[in-house]
Every structure is written in structure tokens, then in C-alpha cells.
Amino acid sequence: MAFGRLKKNKQDQAKQDQEEQGQDGADEVVDAAAGSETGAATGPWDVSDKPSEDGYVDLGALRIAAAQGLQLRLEVEEKTQRVVAVTLDLNGSSLQLQAFAAPRSETLWDEIRGQIGKSVGSQGGTVDELDGVFGTELLAKVPAQAQDGSKGYRVARFVGVDGPRWFLRGVFGGPAALDPQEAGPLEDVFRNVVVVRGEQPLPPRDLLQLRLPRDASPLPRPAAPVKPGPPERGPEITTIG
């Protein structure tokens, strides 16, 4: 009798193990689906993961999918003449992109959000942390003076994505900073960005190198309010869609 019970227990244990393995597999499927819903499986992309780059504009560390009416401006640091950011303009809204080197086993977005909050606060502004389509986002409001002299504030929406050894930051401006419908087209642009980290060793937070597209023709910079101080080189503007 004791032997019979032992045999039955082994069979029951095997059945239970199979059921648990099946449940684990189901949990993995659910987790994968959840990752897809949060956008983790739909970009921004690492260059090693993007299945195709047809129709992309090569800016060095970043590759941007062309879209109808989309324009880009490369922002140049006056002192070093280094390209430090790319700003994409579409339908009256803007999206500034910067890509940074990151540690292999750490993420940067949590720490960077805190630094953005301190910077905005030092300017008398406020920051709200929100759950958005790309995870945790920041909505920043900084006091500003309108062209008619009235007081108001400038709004910017910060998003961040930690990738394999890189970090990508996006800043939405204009109507896209507040209106989800206005933000949709530029969110699609951000979602399709490809980051090219390269194999060169870089300290964490170093900017990944950007460059003007080889086949692009610079266009004049749009008129902007005159600011006090020494003249600065304006960004290059190129239509890419």
C-alpha cells in the first residue's frame, strides 16, 4: 500500500509540474502582450532590432523616418560647433531629440527626471509627473513673457526611453505638449526613431554624435525674435518628407 501511494504521488507531482509549466508559459505570453501595449516592442528602436530602415534619414546617431511635411533643424553648440540636438517640426508642433551614452546595466531616465524637475523649479516653473504612452513623462511649465508683453508660461513635455547602452530624450513643444490629438503624428515619429549607439567606449551621459544628412540642402532659418547677447549660428533646416 505504501508503494502504491508513492507511485500515485509521483504521478500527481508530474501532473502538477506540467500544469505549473503551462501556467508559466501563459504568464510569459501575457507579459509579452503587456510589453507590446506599453510601446516597449514598438520603438524607439536600437539599430540592431529595426527590421528595415527604408525611408529613413541618416543623422549619425539617430535615424528619422521621413513623413509628409516633417522638417528637421540641427542645433549647433556655438563654442564647439558640435551638433547637440535635432528638432523636428510638424503641423505647428516640435519634437527635440537627444541621444546619450548609457551604462550597460543601468537606466538614466529616473535620475534625469529629477534633474529636469530641479532645473525647471530653479526657473520658477512647475513639473508634473504623468503616465504617458512612453511610460513616465514630465509636463513642465516655465514662466515666460508673450510677444505682447503679457505674462504666461512655456510648456514642454519630456519623454525618455532607456535602450541598450543608450538613452533617448524627447521634448514635445507647441500644441503637441498638451493636446493628445496634436501629439499623435510626432509621437509616431518618436516611436520610429532608430538609435545608433556604435561600439566606441563613451562615458555615461555623453551625447551621441549627430550630423547633417549627406544628401540634404540647408534651408534658411525661419525668422525668430531677436535675443540679447552675441550672435549664434542658427540650426540647419531640411525638409525630409
Side-chain angles (χ1 to χ4, degrees), residues 9-22:
N9 287 343
K10 286 183 177 180
Q11 292 174 342
D12 291 344
Q13 183 63 47
K15 182 178 180 180
Q16 181 179 351
D17 290 343
Q18 291 176 352
E19 290 174 350
E20 289 177 352
Q21 290 173 0

Side-chain angles (χ1 to χ4, degrees), residues 3 16 57 59-60 118 140 172 210 215 218:
F3 181 81
Q16 181 179 351
V57 177
L59 301 177
K118 291 180 180 178
F172 291 86
L210 296 169
D215 58 349

Side-chain angles (χ1 to χ4, degrees), residues 10-77:
K10 286 183 177 180
Q11 292 174 342
D12 291 344
Q13 183 63 47
K15 182 178 180 180
Q16 181 179 351
D17 290 343
Q18 291 176 352
E19 290 174 350
E20 289 177 352
Q21 290 173 0
Q23 182 61 44
D24 290 342
D27 289 343
E28 291 174 0
V29 172
V30 171
D31 290 342
S36 176
E37 290 175 358
T38 58
T42 59
W45 301 86
D46 184 76
V47 66
S48 63
D49 296 327
K50 184 63 178 172
S52 173
E53 294 176 30
D54 292 340
Y56 275 74
V57 177
D58 186 352
L59 301 177
L62 296 177
R63 295 176 185 173
I64 310 297
Q68 184 65 36
L70 185 68
Q71 290 188 324
L72 68 84
R73 293 179 283 129
L74 294 181
E75 302 180 20
V76 180
E77 187 177 54

Side-chain angles (χ1 to χ4, degrees), residues 67-117:
Q68 184 65 36
L70 185 68
Q71 290 188 324
L72 68 84
R73 293 179 283 129
L74 294 181
E75 302 180 20
V76 180
E77 187 177 54
E78 178 66 20
K79 182 181 295 186
T80 64
Q81 296 299 297
R82 179 179 62 159
V83 179
V84 295
V86 56
T87 297
L88 306 171
D89 297 311
L90 182 64
N91 302 331
S93 294
S94 63
L95 170 61
Q96 183 197 67
L97 298 173
Q98 288 182 300
F100 303 84
R104 186 181 300 274
S105 59
E106 298 179 18
T107 60
L108 296 180
W109 184 219
D110 288 345
E111 183 179 353
I112 288 176
R113 289 201 309 274
Q115 294 174 348
I116 293 172

Side-chain angles (χ1 to χ4, degrees), residues 164-207:
R165 299 175 61 230
W166 53 258
F167 169 74
L168 178 65
R169 191 189 75 174
V171 186
F172 291 86
L178 289 171
D179 188 334
Q181 290 187 345
E182 293 287 345
L186 277 178
E187 287 177 349
D188 287 340
V189 172
F190 184 75
R191 192 174 286 110
N192 284 305
V193 168
V194 175
V195 181
V196 184
R197 166 61 175 83
E199 297 302 323
Q200 180 182 0
L202 293 171
R205 298 173 177 271
D206 261 22
L207 280 168

